[in-house]
């Protein structure tokens, strides 16, 4: 059934549009304004045109080198955690009981890391991974492995990746669990009668069910890991050196630490554009995947 | 059987760091730094006592809970009518508006930290719980609209039409009939608003002078060495509101994480 056209619906949307516009449009205008100006302090600004943007995108400039390196680190971080969390999340969701008293306990334990304040996630792992007082750090270093996340590159990366897997795999697992629960039992019974192997049940019945939820999961995880700030900031502070400094940490350093408004603003805009274009691709794919099951949307196309 | 082994291993992996935090919160600092033990040898409540008697810590919790609750209420109040509009009508620019809302959920908070500081200082809200509550709307309102729209689309439109034929006005229909129908969805949306507002650090730190509990904790880390026991106890206390909220919505969590779209 087609949704009726009714422009008065704008009145219902107005409060949301206003409150988000207050938070989004005014600050973005400030950012754009700063990005084309330079200052010697004392609130005296002068026109700098596209100077900051040229610096930012030039790998040989100081600012550009720094930005592109942080961007590279951030992309690798996102790809690594996605390639661990997605398969692991699917695996865990397949192992979860479908009914019985265990379900509620599983759900509550799995959701717990998601509700931990992000700086406390950092604190937990800071404590857990220290070689002197933490269970993980103490165990690993007593196995004779050189492990110290504050001054050794691999340890630092290992720690923040393990922390993210701990923090967010449950999100993927819960999403997949919700998807799996919606497939009717009759499918599984039919597969059992046909003598299908575990793998073909997964390929033919379960994976198609997971398509949509996995898209949401990958979208949320990609976006959130790409703008991760608090957790690595608390654990490694971006170090050792700059080795775990992502774009967000670098941006906050430039904006609130050094108060380099022009540089920070130019960087914000480029950073935001990267995220928005990725988001748009995901969103388009997602609405297209949604379409066959939700016919009322089918005629409207992607956007 | 291998299923159970994998699941158990995963749950243990999730619980270990939390167990370690709780373990540390019952030790005093000499024990933490000098001995390695799986449970407190001399259990003490000193760390918790310090938090409950020190007014800074106590106020921090109060301040954080205030802006989280405010934010959840504002987000739901504005998102409910909007989600209804998106799920029931087509209107000029609806798809674009929806995508624009979504982009704000995706925008990095680091980009907004500095302009928010300027904006909320300019309107005189700096250092109040309202500033943080309103700032968190930038990611919570779009998310609430997204979730509620999913749940509302699951309610057949015949219900609305029947109610209008029976002479219900829109506000009366919405409050008396429609809201009870999507109560689960509202619960889930409230859960997510609570969650993302509660866990956020950057805005709550930038927009206040170290009033929220999360920024009080980061200050403790940086100043005058680290009081590990105290930090662990504060960490444990911040887990409690989340754990309570999860318990209340446990039956809807899975569906909620799929944003009502399963």
């Amino acid at each position: 059934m087609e949704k009726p056209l009714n422009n008065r619906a704008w009145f219902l949307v107005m409060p949301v549009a206003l409150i988000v516009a207050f938070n989004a449009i005014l600050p973005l205008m400030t950012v754009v304004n700063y990005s084309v100006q330079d200052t010697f302090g004392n609130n005296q600004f002068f026109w700098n045109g596209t100077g900051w943007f040229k610096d930012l995108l030039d790998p040989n400039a100081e600012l550009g080198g720094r930005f592109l390196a942080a961007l590279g680190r951030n992309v690798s971080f996102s790809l690594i955690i996605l390639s661990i969390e997605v398969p692991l999340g699917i695996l865990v969701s397949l192992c979860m009981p479908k009914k019985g008293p265990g379900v509620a306990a599983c759900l509550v334990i799995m959701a717990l890391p998601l509700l931990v304040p992000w700086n406390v996630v950092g604190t937990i792992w800071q404590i857990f991974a220290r070689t002197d007082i933490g269970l993980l750090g103490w165990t690993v270093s007593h196995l004779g492995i050189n492990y110290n996340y504050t001054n050794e590159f691999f340890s630092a990366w290992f720690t923040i990746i393990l922390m993210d897997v701990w923090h967010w795999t449950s999100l993927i697992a819960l999403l997949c669990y919700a998807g799996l629960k919606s497939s009717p039992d009759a499918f599984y019974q039919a597969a059992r009668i046909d003598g299908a192997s575990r793998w073909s049940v997964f390929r033919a019945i379960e994976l198609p069910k997971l398509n949509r939820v996995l898209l949401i999961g990958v979208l949320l995880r990609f976006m959130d890991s790409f703008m991760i700030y608090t957790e690595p900031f608390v654990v490694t502070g971006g170090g050792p050196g700059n080795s775990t400094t992502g774009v967000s940490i670098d941006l906050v350093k430039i904006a609130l630490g050094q108060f380099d408004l022009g540089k920070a603003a130019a960087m914000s805009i480029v950073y935001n554009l990267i995220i928005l274009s990725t988001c748009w691709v995901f969103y388009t794919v997602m609405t297209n995947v949604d379409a066959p099951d939700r016919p009322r949307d089918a005629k409207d196309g992607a956007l | 059987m291998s299923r159970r082994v994998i699941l158990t291993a995963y749950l243990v992996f999730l619980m270990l760091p939390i167990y370690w935090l709780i373990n540390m919160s019952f030790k005093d600092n000499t024990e933490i730094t000098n001995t390695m033990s799986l449970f407190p040898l001399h259990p003490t409540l000193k760390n918790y006592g310090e938090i409950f008697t020190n007014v800074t810590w106590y106020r921090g919790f109060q301040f954080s809970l205030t802006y989280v609750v405010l934010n959840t209420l504002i987000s739901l109040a504005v998102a409910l009518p909007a989600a209804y509009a998106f799920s029931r009508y087509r209107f000029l620019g609806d798809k674009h508006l929806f995508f624009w809302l979504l982009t704000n959920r995706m925008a990095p908070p680091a980009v907004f930290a500095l302009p928010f500081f300027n904006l909320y200082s300019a309107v005189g809200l700096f250092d109040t719980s309202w500033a943080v509550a309103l700032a968190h709307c930038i990611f919570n309102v779009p998310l609430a609209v997204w979730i509620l729209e999913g749940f509302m689309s699951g309610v057949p439109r015949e219900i609305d039409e029947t109610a209008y034929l029976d002479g219900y006005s829109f506000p009366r229909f919405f409050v008396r009939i429609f809201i009870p129908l999507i109560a689960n969805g509202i619960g889930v949306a409230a859960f997510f608003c609570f969650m993302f507002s509660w866990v956020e650090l950057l805005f709550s730190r930038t927009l206040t002078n170290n009033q929220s509990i999360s920024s009080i904790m980061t200050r403790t880390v940086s100043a005058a060495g680290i009081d590990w026991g105290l930090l662990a106890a504060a960490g444990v206390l911040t887990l409690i509101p989340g754990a309570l909220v999860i318990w209340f919505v446990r039956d809807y969590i899975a569906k909620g994480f799929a944003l009502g779209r399963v």
Side-chain angles (χ1 to χ4, degrees), chain A residues 208-258:
Chain A
K209 273 282 168 194
L210 295 182
N211 254 343
R212 242 182 335 170
V213 283
L214 270 182
L215 255 174
I216 300 177
V218 173
L219 173 71
L220 286 176
R221 273 323 294 139
F222 178 76
M223 294 303 161
D224 287 348
S225 66
F226 199 64
M227 57 202 195
I228 192 165
Y229 171 80
T230 313
E231 301 95 314
F233 177 75
V234 173
V235 175
T236 65
N242 273 331
S243 58
T244 53
T245 303
V247 186
S248 279
I249 293 185
D250 213 22
L251 180 58
V252 172
K253 264 189 210 162
I254 296 179
L256 296 172
Q258 311 169 1

Short mmCIF file of all heavy atoms in Angstrom, two decimals, chain A residues 208-258:
data_model
loop_
_atom_site.label_atom_id
_atom_site.label_comp_id
_atom_site.label_asym_id
_atom_site.label_seq_id
_atom_site.Cartn_x
_atom_site.Cartn_y
_atom_site.Cartn_z
N PRO A 208 21.43 -15.53 4.30
CA PRO A 208 20.51 -14.57 3.65
C PRO A 208 19.68 -13.79 4.66
O PRO A 208 19.40 -12.61 4.47
CB PRO A 208 19.61 -15.47 2.81
CG PRO A 208 20.37 -16.71 2.59
CD PRO A 208 21.24 -16.89 3.78
N LYS A 209 19.31 -14.46 5.78
CA LYS A 209 18.54 -13.79 6.82
C LYS A 209 19.36 -12.69 7.48
O LYS A 209 18.82 -11.74 8.04
CB LYS A 209 18.14 -14.82 7.90
CG LYS A 209 16.86 -15.53 7.58
CD LYS A 209 15.70 -14.62 7.91
CE LYS A 209 14.42 -15.18 7.32
NZ LYS A 209 13.35 -14.20 7.33
N LEU A 210 20.68 -12.87 7.45
CA LEU A 210 21.54 -11.94 8.18
C LEU A 210 21.90 -10.70 7.36
O LEU A 210 22.40 -9.73 7.90
CB LEU A 210 22.82 -12.64 8.62
CG LEU A 210 22.63 -13.76 9.63
CD1 LEU A 210 23.96 -14.34 10.02
CD2 LEU A 210 21.92 -13.22 10.86
N ASN A 211 21.67 -10.79 6.04
CA ASN A 211 22.07 -9.69 5.16
C ASN A 211 21.80 -8.31 5.71
O ASN A 211 22.69 -7.47 5.85
CB ASN A 211 21.29 -9.82 3.86
CG ASN A 211 22.19 -10.30 2.76
OD1 ASN A 211 23.41 -10.23 2.93
ND2 ASN A 211 21.62 -10.80 1.70
N ARG A 212 20.52 -8.11 6.05
CA ARG A 212 20.09 -6.77 6.41
C ARG A 212 20.68 -6.30 7.74
O ARG A 212 21.21 -5.20 7.84
CB ARG A 212 18.57 -6.72 6.48
CG ARG A 212 18.04 -5.77 5.49
CD ARG A 212 16.58 -5.61 5.51
NE ARG A 212 15.84 -6.74 6.05
CZ ARG A 212 14.55 -6.64 6.31
NH1 ARG A 212 13.92 -5.51 6.13
NH2 ARG A 212 13.89 -7.68 6.78
N VAL A 213 20.60 -7.18 8.74
CA VAL A 213 21.14 -6.78 10.05
C VAL A 213 22.64 -6.58 9.98
O VAL A 213 23.20 -5.70 10.61
CB VAL A 213 20.78 -7.79 11.14
CG1 VAL A 213 19.35 -7.62 11.57
CG2 VAL A 213 21.07 -9.19 10.73
N LEU A 214 23.31 -7.42 9.15
CA LEU A 214 24.76 -7.26 9.05
C LEU A 214 25.12 -5.91 8.44
O LEU A 214 26.10 -5.28 8.85
CB LEU A 214 25.36 -8.38 8.20
CG LEU A 214 25.77 -9.61 8.99
CD1 LEU A 214 26.39 -10.64 8.07
CD2 LEU A 214 26.77 -9.25 10.09
N LEU A 215 24.31 -5.46 7.49
CA LEU A 215 24.57 -4.15 6.90
C LEU A 215 24.50 -3.07 7.96
O LEU A 215 25.37 -2.20 8.05
CB LEU A 215 23.53 -3.86 5.83
CG LEU A 215 24.04 -3.99 4.40
CD1 LEU A 215 22.89 -3.84 3.44
CD2 LEU A 215 25.09 -2.93 4.14
N ILE A 216 23.44 -3.11 8.80
CA ILE A 216 23.32 -2.13 9.87
C ILE A 216 24.54 -2.23 10.78
O ILE A 216 25.16 -1.23 11.14
CB ILE A 216 22.04 -2.36 10.71
CG1 ILE A 216 20.81 -2.26 9.83
CG2 ILE A 216 21.96 -1.38 11.85
CD1 ILE A 216 19.52 -2.55 10.56
N GLY A 217 24.90 -3.48 11.13
CA GLY A 217 26.03 -3.68 12.03
C GLY A 217 27.32 -3.15 11.47
O GLY A 217 28.06 -2.43 12.14
N VAL A 218 27.60 -3.48 10.20
CA VAL A 218 28.85 -3.01 9.60
C VAL A 218 28.85 -1.50 9.48
O VAL A 218 29.85 -0.84 9.76
CB VAL A 218 29.06 -3.68 8.22
CG1 VAL A 218 30.25 -3.07 7.51
CG2 VAL A 218 29.27 -5.17 8.38
N LEU A 219 27.68 -0.94 9.12
CA LEU A 219 27.59 0.53 9.03
C LEU A 219 27.93 1.17 10.38
O LEU A 219 28.80 2.04 10.48
CB LEU A 219 26.18 0.94 8.60
CG LEU A 219 25.87 2.43 8.62
CD1 LEU A 219 26.59 3.15 7.51
CD2 LEU A 219 24.38 2.69 8.49
N LEU A 220 27.25 0.72 11.44
CA LEU A 220 27.47 1.32 12.77
C LEU A 220 28.92 1.12 13.22
O LEU A 220 29.57 2.04 13.71
CB LEU A 220 26.53 0.71 13.81
CG LEU A 220 25.07 1.15 13.72
CD1 LEU A 220 24.24 0.40 14.73
CD2 LEU A 220 24.95 2.65 13.96
N ARG A 221 29.43 -0.09 13.04
CA ARG A 221 30.79 -0.37 13.50
C ARG A 221 31.82 0.41 12.70
O ARG A 221 32.80 0.90 13.23
CB ARG A 221 31.11 -1.87 13.42
CG ARG A 221 30.73 -2.69 14.59
CD ARG A 221 30.92 -1.99 15.90
NE ARG A 221 32.31 -1.71 16.20
CZ ARG A 221 32.74 -0.57 16.73
NH1 ARG A 221 31.91 0.40 17.00
NH2 ARG A 221 34.00 -0.40 17.00
N PHE A 222 31.60 0.50 11.37
CA PHE A 222 32.59 1.23 10.58
C PHE A 222 32.62 2.69 11.00
O PHE A 222 33.68 3.26 11.26
CB PHE A 222 32.30 1.11 9.09
CG PHE A 222 33.28 1.90 8.27
CD1 PHE A 222 34.56 1.41 8.06
CD2 PHE A 222 32.96 3.16 7.77
CE1 PHE A 222 35.49 2.15 7.35
CE2 PHE A 222 33.88 3.90 7.07
CZ PHE A 222 35.15 3.40 6.85
N MET A 223 31.44 3.29 11.10
CA MET A 223 31.38 4.70 11.44
C MET A 223 31.99 4.95 12.83
O MET A 223 32.80 5.84 13.01
CB MET A 223 29.93 5.18 11.46
CG MET A 223 29.27 5.15 10.13
SD MET A 223 30.23 6.13 8.98
CE MET A 223 29.62 5.50 7.43
N ASP A 224 31.56 4.14 13.80
CA ASP A 224 32.02 4.41 15.16
C ASP A 224 33.51 4.13 15.33
O ASP A 224 34.20 4.83 16.06
CB ASP A 224 31.20 3.59 16.17
CG ASP A 224 29.79 4.17 16.31
OD1 ASP A 224 29.58 5.29 15.82
OD2 ASP A 224 28.93 3.51 16.90
N SER A 225 34.03 3.11 14.63
CA SER A 225 35.46 2.86 14.78
C SER A 225 36.26 3.91 14.03
O SER A 225 37.38 4.23 14.39
CB SER A 225 35.82 1.46 14.28
OG SER A 225 35.62 1.39 12.90
N PHE A 226 35.66 4.47 12.99
CA PHE A 226 36.38 5.47 12.21
C PHE A 226 36.47 6.79 12.96
O PHE A 226 37.33 7.62 12.68
CB PHE A 226 35.68 5.67 10.87
CG PHE A 226 36.55 6.31 9.83
CD1 PHE A 226 37.68 5.66 9.38
CD2 PHE A 226 36.26 7.56 9.32
CE1 PHE A 226 38.50 6.24 8.44
CE2 PHE A 226 37.07 8.15 8.38
CZ PHE A 226 38.20 7.48 7.93
N MET A 227 35.55 7.02 13.91
CA MET A 227 35.67 8.25 14.68
C MET A 227 35.99 7.97 16.15
O MET A 227 35.71 8.78 17.02
CB MET A 227 34.39 9.08 14.55
CG MET A 227 33.13 8.40 14.95
SD MET A 227 31.74 9.23 14.14
CE MET A 227 30.38 8.59 15.09
N ILE A 228 36.60 6.84 16.41
CA ILE A 228 36.90 6.45 17.79
C ILE A 228 37.84 7.48 18.43
O ILE A 228 38.77 7.98 17.80
CB ILE A 228 37.51 5.04 17.84
CG1 ILE A 228 37.55 4.53 19.27
CG2 ILE A 228 38.89 4.99 17.21
CD1 ILE A 228 37.79 3.04 19.34
N TYR A 229 37.51 7.82 19.66
CA TYR A 229 38.34 8.82 20.36
C TYR A 229 38.70 8.38 21.77
O TYR A 229 39.87 8.19 22.11
CB TYR A 229 37.60 10.17 20.40
CG TYR A 229 38.28 11.18 21.28
CD1 TYR A 229 39.38 11.88 20.82
CD2 TYR A 229 37.84 11.41 22.58
CE1 TYR A 229 40.04 12.78 21.63
CE2 TYR A 229 38.48 12.32 23.40
CZ TYR A 229 39.58 13.00 22.91
OH TYR A 229 40.22 13.88 23.73
N THR A 230 37.63 8.19 22.58
CA THR A 230 37.84 8.06 24.02
C THR A 230 38.69 6.87 24.43
O THR A 230 39.61 7.01 25.24
CB THR A 230 36.47 7.96 24.72
OG1 THR A 230 35.63 8.96 24.19
CG2 THR A 230 36.61 8.15 26.19
N GLU A 231 38.36 5.67 23.88
CA GLU A 231 38.98 4.47 24.41
C GLU A 231 40.50 4.46 24.19
O GLU A 231 41.25 4.33 25.16
CB GLU A 231 38.33 3.22 23.82
CG GLU A 231 36.84 3.11 24.11
CD GLU A 231 35.99 3.67 22.98
OE1 GLU A 231 36.30 4.77 22.49
OE2 GLU A 231 35.02 3.02 22.59
N PRO A 232 40.99 4.65 22.94
CA PRO A 232 42.45 4.69 22.79
C PRO A 232 43.08 5.88 23.51
O PRO A 232 44.19 5.79 24.01
CB PRO A 232 42.67 4.79 21.28
CG PRO A 232 41.38 5.09 20.69
CD PRO A 232 40.32 4.71 21.64
N PHE A 233 42.32 6.98 23.60
CA PHE A 233 42.86 8.15 24.30
C PHE A 233 43.17 7.82 25.75
O PHE A 233 44.21 8.20 26.29
CB PHE A 233 41.87 9.31 24.20
CG PHE A 233 42.30 10.54 24.94
CD1 PHE A 233 43.29 11.36 24.44
CD2 PHE A 233 41.73 10.86 26.16
CE1 PHE A 233 43.70 12.48 25.12
CE2 PHE A 233 42.12 11.99 26.86
CZ PHE A 233 43.12 12.80 26.33
N VAL A 234 42.26 7.10 26.40
CA VAL A 234 42.48 6.76 27.81
C VAL A 234 43.59 5.72 27.95
O VAL A 234 44.46 5.84 28.81
CB VAL A 234 41.18 6.24 28.47
CG1 VAL A 234 41.46 5.73 29.87
CG2 VAL A 234 40.13 7.31 28.50
N VAL A 235 43.61 4.72 27.07
CA VAL A 235 44.56 3.62 27.24
C VAL A 235 45.98 4.03 26.82
O VAL A 235 46.92 3.93 27.59
CB VAL A 235 44.12 2.38 26.44
CG1 VAL A 235 45.18 1.30 26.54
CG2 VAL A 235 42.82 1.86 27.02
N THR A 236 46.13 4.48 25.58
CA THR A 236 47.48 4.75 25.09
C THR A 236 47.75 6.24 24.93
O THR A 236 48.89 6.64 24.72
CB THR A 236 47.70 4.10 23.71
OG1 THR A 236 46.82 4.71 22.78
CG2 THR A 236 47.45 2.62 23.76
N GLY A 237 46.71 7.07 24.97
CA GLY A 237 46.90 8.51 24.73
C GLY A 237 47.39 8.78 23.31
O GLY A 237 47.96 9.82 23.04
N GLY A 238 47.17 7.82 22.41
CA GLY A 238 47.61 7.98 21.02
C GLY A 238 49.02 7.46 20.79
O GLY A 238 49.48 7.40 19.67
N GLY A 239 49.68 7.05 21.83
CA GLY A 239 51.07 6.65 21.71
C GLY A 239 51.23 5.16 21.58
O GLY A 239 50.26 4.45 21.43
N PRO A 240 52.42 4.59 21.62
CA PRO A 240 53.69 5.31 21.76
C PRO A 240 54.01 6.14 20.52
O PRO A 240 53.75 5.68 19.41
CB PRO A 240 54.70 4.17 21.91
CG PRO A 240 54.03 2.98 21.34
CD PRO A 240 52.58 3.15 21.56
N GLY A 241 54.55 7.32 20.71
CA GLY A 241 54.73 8.25 19.60
C GLY A 241 53.35 8.65 19.12
O GLY A 241 52.53 9.12 19.89
N ASN A 242 53.10 8.42 17.83
CA ASN A 242 51.78 8.70 17.29
C ASN A 242 51.11 7.43 16.81
O ASN A 242 50.14 7.48 16.08
CB ASN A 242 51.89 9.66 16.10
CG ASN A 242 51.87 11.09 16.56
OD1 ASN A 242 51.27 11.40 17.58
ND2 ASN A 242 52.55 11.94 15.84
N SER A 243 51.62 6.27 17.24
CA SER A 243 51.26 5.04 16.53
C SER A 243 49.80 4.64 16.71
O SER A 243 49.29 3.88 15.91
CB SER A 243 52.17 3.90 16.94
OG SER A 243 52.08 3.70 18.32
N THR A 244 49.11 5.11 17.75
CA THR A 244 47.69 4.78 17.83
C THR A 244 46.83 6.04 17.77
O THR A 244 45.70 6.05 18.24
CB THR A 244 47.35 4.00 19.11
OG1 THR A 244 47.87 4.73 20.23
CG2 THR A 244 47.95 2.63 19.09
N THR A 245 47.37 7.12 17.18
CA THR A 245 46.61 8.35 17.05
C THR A 245 45.72 8.27 15.82
O THR A 245 46.21 8.26 14.70
CB THR A 245 47.55 9.55 16.91
OG1 THR A 245 48.41 9.58 18.03
CG2 THR A 245 46.76 10.84 16.86
N GLY A 246 44.40 8.20 16.03
CA GLY A 246 43.47 8.22 14.90
C GLY A 246 43.14 9.66 14.55
O GLY A 246 43.65 10.60 15.16
N VAL A 247 42.25 9.83 13.56
CA VAL A 247 41.94 11.19 13.10
C VAL A 247 41.29 12.01 14.21
O VAL A 247 41.62 13.17 14.41
CB VAL A 247 41.04 11.14 11.85
CG1 VAL A 247 40.84 12.54 11.30
CG2 VAL A 247 41.64 10.27 10.78
N SER A 248 40.37 11.38 14.97
CA SER A 248 39.68 12.14 16.01
C SER A 248 40.64 12.65 17.08
O SER A 248 40.55 13.80 17.51
CB SER A 248 38.59 11.29 16.66
OG SER A 248 37.45 11.28 15.87
N ILE A 249 41.54 11.77 17.52
CA ILE A 249 42.48 12.18 18.56
C ILE A 249 43.35 13.33 18.06
O ILE A 249 43.56 14.34 18.74
CB ILE A 249 43.36 10.99 19.00
CG1 ILE A 249 42.49 9.94 19.69
CG2 ILE A 249 44.48 11.45 19.92
CD1 ILE A 249 43.28 8.78 20.26
N ASP A 250 43.82 13.19 16.81
CA ASP A 250 44.65 14.23 16.22
C ASP A 250 43.89 15.54 16.11
O ASP A 250 44.40 16.61 16.43
CB ASP A 250 45.11 13.76 14.84
CG ASP A 250 46.50 14.27 14.52
OD1 ASP A 250 47.23 14.60 15.47
OD2 ASP A 250 46.84 14.35 13.33
N LEU A 251 42.63 15.43 15.69
CA LEU A 251 41.80 16.62 15.51
C LEU A 251 41.59 17.35 16.83
O LEU A 251 41.72 18.57 16.91
CB LEU A 251 40.46 16.21 14.90
CG LEU A 251 39.45 17.31 14.63
CD1 LEU A 251 40.05 18.35 13.70
CD2 LEU A 251 38.20 16.72 14.00
N VAL A 252 41.29 16.60 17.89
CA VAL A 252 41.08 17.24 19.18
C VAL A 252 42.37 17.89 19.67
O VAL A 252 42.36 18.97 20.25
CB VAL A 252 40.52 16.23 20.21
CG1 VAL A 252 40.47 16.84 21.60
CG2 VAL A 252 39.14 15.80 19.80
N LYS A 253 43.51 17.22 19.40
CA LYS A 253 44.80 17.82 19.78
C LYS A 253 44.99 19.16 19.11
O LYS A 253 45.37 20.15 19.74
CB LYS A 253 45.95 16.89 19.33
CG LYS A 253 46.46 15.95 20.39
CD LYS A 253 47.72 15.28 19.86
CE LYS A 253 47.86 13.89 20.45
NZ LYS A 253 48.80 13.05 19.65
N ILE A 254 44.70 19.21 17.80
CA ILE A 254 44.91 20.46 17.06
C ILE A 254 43.89 21.52 17.49
O ILE A 254 44.24 22.68 17.70
CB ILE A 254 44.81 20.22 15.54
CG1 ILE A 254 45.93 19.28 15.09
CG2 ILE A 254 44.91 21.52 14.77
CD1 ILE A 254 45.91 18.95 13.62
N ALA A 255 42.62 21.11 17.64
CA ALA A 255 41.57 22.09 17.92
C ALA A 255 41.60 22.59 19.35
O ALA A 255 41.66 23.79 19.60
CB ALA A 255 40.20 21.49 17.61
N LEU A 256 41.55 21.66 20.32
CA LEU A 256 41.43 22.09 21.71
C LEU A 256 42.78 22.17 22.42
O LEU A 256 42.92 22.86 23.42
CB LEU A 256 40.48 21.16 22.47
CG LEU A 256 39.04 21.16 21.97
CD1 LEU A 256 38.24 20.07 22.65
CD2 LEU A 256 38.39 22.51 22.20
N GLY A 257 43.78 21.43 21.90
CA GLY A 257 45.10 21.47 22.52
C GLY A 257 45.90 22.66 22.05
O GLY A 257 46.31 23.51 22.83
N GLN A 258 46.10 22.75 20.72
CA GLN A 258 46.94 23.83 20.18
C GLN A 258 46.11 25.05 19.79
O GLN A 258 46.65 26.09 19.46
CB GLN A 258 47.70 23.35 18.94
CG GLN A 258 48.40 22.03 19.13
CD GLN A 258 48.90 21.47 17.80
OE1 GLN A 258 48.75 22.08 16.75
NE2 GLN A 258 49.51 20.30 17.85
#
